[in-house]
Amino acid sequence: METLTHYTNPMSRGMRTQKILEVFDLPHESISIDFMNGQTRTEEYLKIHPYGRVPALKHGDLTVIESGAITLYLCDLFAEELKAPRPGTPERALLYEWLFFFQTTLEPVAIKGMSDKSDKRQIQGEVRTLLTAMASRFRGPYVLGEEFTVLDAILHVELAWYKMMGIFPEGLEPYQGFLSRTAERMEL
Ligand SMILES: N[C@@H](CCC(=O)N[C@@H](CS)C(=O)NCC(=O)O)C(=O)O
């Protein structure tokens, strides 16, 4: 298989896909892109990612952008290693639901929490409401049931990010228990 090269940064959404590569021990090399110092805007990098963001994944002549698309591409390449559910199954539908939920519903709320002027309590409340609703889509002990899958790695990264920003709804189950259950495996 051609080398997988992952362009990322530890303080970015690239951690979603970086953690998948690391936790499931997928063959790859990672290149850290310092976006604070303009490395996403160089002519060379814009050939990899047309609007200059991380993450991006290069696989042979192909480059894949958008963390959700990279996640699904990895699921196609490494279905067995990632315990990715088969297309057309209810579990695969859950994977799609959570991925879109993170990026289109939850992320805009979380992004508000990045501003120093934000009301963290209010944002934490909004996150709590959304995650409480999604608990009906969490089978337990892991999202899809008994087995730790790619979806758990992604959920862990998102929740850890919220914790770091002070917008994680402390004490909310099943997420509180989930975070401690997955901590050792995710932190490597
Ligand atoms: N929707 C994209 C968002 C990517 C994104 O906005 N990445 C930020 C870091 S979290 C970035 O690269 N910013 C650098 C820049 O704007 O130069 C994804 O999920 O991949």
Side-chain angles (χ1 to χ4, degrees):
M1 177 186 270
E2 305 238 37
T3 310
L4 289 171
T5 307
H6 189 234
Y7 299 84
T8 184
N9 180 290
M11 293 307 289
S12 77
R13 294 170 179 88
M15 283 315 284
R16 292 170 174 157
T17 37
Q18 183 60 34
K19 277 291 184 187
I20 294 173
L21 291 163
E22 287 175 10
V23 166
F24 293 94
D25 209 12
L26 304 182
H28 73 283
E29 59 178 44
S30 289
I31 296 183
S32 187
I33 299 292
D34 183 358
F35 58 80
M36 301 293 265
N37 282 310
Q39 282 186 3
T40 43
R41 295 296 186 271
T42 64
E43 203 179 312
E44 195 190 349
Y45 189 71
L46 288 170
K47 286 184 191 145
I48 295 162
H49 193 307
Y51 45 90
R53 304 278 198 281
V54 285
L57 183 76
K58 195 163 177 354
H59 185 208
D61 292 334
L62 173 73
T63 60
V64 188
I65 60 165
E66 287 292 333
S67 55
I70 296 170
T71 300
L72 289 172
Y73 185 66
L74 291 174
C75 287
D76 293 343
L77 290 183
F78 299 101
E80 209 175 302
E81 291 84 343
L82 298 182
K83 311 285 180 214
R86 273 190 305 109
T89 60
E91 290 74 22
R92 186 75 169 200
L94 274 178
L95 171 65
Y96 295 146
E97 283 187 347
W98 277 98
L99 278 183
F100 281 87
F101 169 71
F102 290 139
Q103 300 220 3
T104 64
T105 306
L106 203 48
E107 188 180 290
V109 174
I111 291 290
K112 291 191 286 179
M114 290 181 83
S115 154
D116 288 343
K117 294 191 197 111
S118 63
D119 180 345
K120 299 253 195 247
R121 269 172 58 103
Q122 191 207 319
I123 294 166
Q124 194 184 68
E126 288 179 44
V127 171
R128 177 179 291 275
T129 302
L130 287 167
L131 284 176
T132 300
M134 280 302 276
S136 65
R137 295 288 204 269
F138 186 109
R139 292 183 175 171
Y142 298 107
V143 187
L144 297 180
E146 293 300 323
E147 198 166 42
F148 180 91
T149 73
V150 61
L151 186 48
D152 300 299
I154 307 165
L155 178 61
H156 182 99
V157 170
E158 298 301 307
L159 297 181
W161 181 39
Y162 300 159
K163 233 180 180 349
M164 204 180 74
M165 286 197 294
I167 57 168
F168 176 76
E170 296 294 340
L172 181 66
E173 292 299 346
Y175 307 99
Q176 187 80 55
F178 170 82
L179 262 186
S180 32
R181 205 171 306 127
T182 47
E184 199 179 329
R185 183 161 191 166
M186 289 300 298
E187 273 145 34
L188 301 173

